[in-house]
Amino acid sequence: MPLPKMNPENQSDVPQTGTKTEPAVPQNPASALTPSLPPAMRSRAVTALDRALDATRPKWDTAAKTFVEEQDFGTQLKAAELILAYTDGRPVERQVKLTGDFQNYDSKLEKLLASPEGMRVAIAAGLVEKPS
């Protein structure tokens, strides 16, 4: 799109400081998109994730009639998932969406089985048997 011609006699056409002619995006767009987190808080968050990898919880031991520490695998797995998601990235999540004009159940199943991911879902749901 060509820029409009500026008419020096008409000062309303001349860009002024503070008008819409200034860039709308800050000079460093990456820092504008990520919220700023103080370094001390980031360090505490990383430390908390590190501690969570060794999380334990108390469990009542009926034989000894006292609490014993056991591994808290749920917390440890969540911490590991968060660490890996932010360092390596999340794994690919596939989705199957069926759209179209389906006449009956058989045509829907046929469309579902046409893709490898759809076949996997149908086998997992018990709609079809695994091919031998």
Side-chain angles (χ1 to χ4, degrees):
M1 179 169 130
L3 293 174
K5 288 186 177 181
M6 288 191 195
N7 184 356
E9 288 96 48
N10 184 354
Q11 291 297 310
S12 65
D13 291 339
V14 178
Q16 304 293 319
T17 304
T19 64
K20 292 183 180 178
T21 58
E22 292 179 2
V25 184
Q27 295 300 332
N28 189 355
S31 66
L33 298 177
T34 48
S36 62
L37 189 64
M41 190 178 289
R42 180 178 301 277
S43 175
R44 289 178 58 204
V46 170
T47 302
L49 283 173
D50 185 40
R51 281 193 322 260
L53 288 173
D54 298 321
T56 60
R57 63 179 174 198
K59 179 183 175 189
W60 181 254
D61 185 357
T62 53
K65 297 189 189 303
T66 185
F67 283 102
V68 293
E69 291 287 318
E70 72 172 8
Q71 298 290 316
D72 187 355
F73 294 112
T75 301
Q76 292 173 358
L77 286 174
K78 186 64 179 173
E81 179 184 335
L82 281 170
I83 291 168
L84 293 174
Y86 281 100
T87 57
D88 298 347
R90 293 184 51 135
V92 174
E93 296 175 358
R94 290 180 173 40
Q95 292 182 353
V96 175
K97 292 184 181 182
L98 298 177
T99 58
D101 185 23
F102 298 106
Q103 303 303 323
N104 55 28
Y105 177 77
D106 291 335
S107 65
K108 291 178 186 178
L109 186 60
E110 187 178 309
K111 279 280 197 186
L112 181 66
L113 299 177
S115 71
E117 187 65 16
M119 176 68 85
R120 187 191 65 73
V121 169
I123 291 170
L127 298 175
V128 294
E129 292 183 12
K130 189 174 185 177
S132 47

